[in-house]
Amino acid sequence: MDNQQKDVTESTLETHQQEASDKHQLKSTTVSTKPDDSKQPKAWFTNERLNLFLALCAIIISAASFYATYLQANAAERQVKAATWPWLEVMTGNYDEEKNLPEITFVLTNSGSGPAIVKYVKYHYNDQSYLDIYKVISACCFDTQAYETQLQTLQDDSPNINIFEAFGWIMTSASDNRLLASGSELKLFGFKRTGFNETQWDKVNKQRNSIKTEICYCSLLEQCYLSDGRADVKEIEQCDISSNSPDTAP
């Protein structure tokens, strides 16, 4: 009886020991199979990187918007400039079709889209420059002062006759600081041919194409241009006649 109880006790003890061993082994297995968080790869698209990406997108959009605004403003400026751009030309001829008579003329015409403020007109002949067209005619053709003095003497002697009209008066117009609207013109010089002045008129007619012009003018937006009165026009900062007239003849 005692031996039988002893065997039962030993069997029960062995059973408990076996269960404890199995539990320990199971626990060890569970611990060993638990994943190691330190060795797992971290996610690339984190909140910090998302915020950085959104910030970069905002910067790019702002830069693109600024550039688009700049292009729009630049285009608007060019449109305004084109709408107010003057183009001055000097044209010379030797016949007045309206009056149907020979007349030598130098005419300043604004063929541009906007008005022009004429700062000065300079004339060039034989490597000399002049601000007074009377002096150009005197240099190329005949003594204008003596011619006008003679006409004035004749007019004083014959007050009932328009000598200036009958014998051919020299007509000029001042151009400095004149506002010339788009499509308008200014006659700088006019000289009709008569039986009295054929010699002088022929000399001017022969030399008129040798007289070159230089025009400096500005738009209402204070954009200034230097022109030869034909096709050569360039934009400059301002019209400074003193820097362009070292060879101006007295």
Side-chain angles (χ1 to χ4, degrees):
M1 187 69 175
D2 293 335
N3 289 336
Q4 190 175 7
Q5 290 179 347
K6 182 177 180 182
D7 292 338
V8 172
T9 301
E10 289 178 356
S11 176
T12 302
L13 181 61
E14 288 178 358
T15 300
H16 287 301
Q17 289 178 351
Q18 183 66 35
E19 291 177 354
S21 177
D22 292 341
K23 290 181 180 180
H24 178 72
Q25 186 176 2
L26 179 61
K27 184 178 181 180
S28 299
T29 303
T30 303
V31 172
S32 61
T33 56
K34 185 178 181 180
D36 189 356
D37 294 337
S38 61
K39 294 182 179 180
Q40 285 186 348
K42 295 183 178 179
W44 183 87
F45 204 68
T46 61
N47 290 334
E48 291 79 6
R49 289 180 176 176
L50 176 60
N51 293 333
L52 178 61
F53 176 75
L54 294 177
L56 290 175
C57 290
I59 293 174
I60 294 173
I61 293 174
S62 298
S65 177
F66 173 79
Y67 184 66
T69 303
Y70 167 77
L71 292 179
Q72 185 177 5
N74 194 27
E77 181 181 359
R78 289 198 301 269
Q79 289 177 353
V80 172
K81 184 177 179 180
T84 59
W85 183 50
W87 177 280
L88 297 190
E89 300 175 288
V90 174
M91 301 179 181
T92 180
N94 60 5
Y95 195 83
D96 189 334
E97 294 182 355
E98 294 182 358
K99 298 178 180 179
N100 195 25
L101 55 82
E103 181 181 10
I104 296 174
T105 57
F106 285 84
V107 179
L108 180 64
T109 303
N110 184 0
S111 302
S113 56
I117 302 174
V118 184
K119 296 300 183 179
Y120 67 81
V121 177
K122 188 185 295 184
Y123 307 91
H124 300 275
Y125 178 76
N126 281 351
D127 298 327
Q128 293 289 329
S129 59
Y130 307 83
L131 294 173
D132 189 346
I133 196 168
Y134 274 103
K135 295 180 179 179
V136 183
I137 302 302
S138 296
C140 75
C141 307
F142 65 93
D143 190 342
T144 56
Q145 185 175 0
Y147 178 83
E148 292 190 342
T149 300
Q150 187 177 7
L151 288 184
Q152 186 64 54
T153 301
L154 292 173
Q155 183 65 64
D156 294 339
D157 294 339
S158 305
N160 295 327
I161 302 175
N162 190 344
I163 298 296
F164 302 128
E165 180 67 24
F167 286 80
W169 184 251
I170 300 174
M171 193 282 297
T172 61
S173 298
S175 57
D176 295 358
N177 297 315
R178 292 284 295 267
L179 179 64
L180 198 62
S182 174
S184 62
E185 61 183 33
L186 174 67
K187 184 183 289 188
L188 300 172
F189 176 83
F191 189 39
K192 294 188 298 183
R193 182 177 180 177
T194 67
F196 177 80
N197 65 8
E198 288 181 353
T199 302
Q200 293 86 351
W201 193 94
D202 289 341
K203 287 183 179 179
V204 177
N205 187 45
K206 184 178 180 179
Q207 296 295 329
R208 63 186 176 86
N209 289 318
S210 299
I211 299 174
K212 309 302 179 183
T213 56
E214 175 185 315
I215 315 164
C216 195
Y217 58 96
C218 301
S219 69
L220 296 182
L221 298 179
E222 298 183 353
Q223 294 167 327
C224 299
Y225 305 90
L226 189 65
S227 169
D228 66 349
R230 292 176 175 84
D232 186 12
V233 180
K234 61 180 180 180
E235 188 170 351
I236 59 176
E237 291 185 1
Q238 61 180 0
C239 293
D240 186 5
I241 191 171
S242 62
S243 63
N244 291 290
S245 56
D247 59 339
T248 301

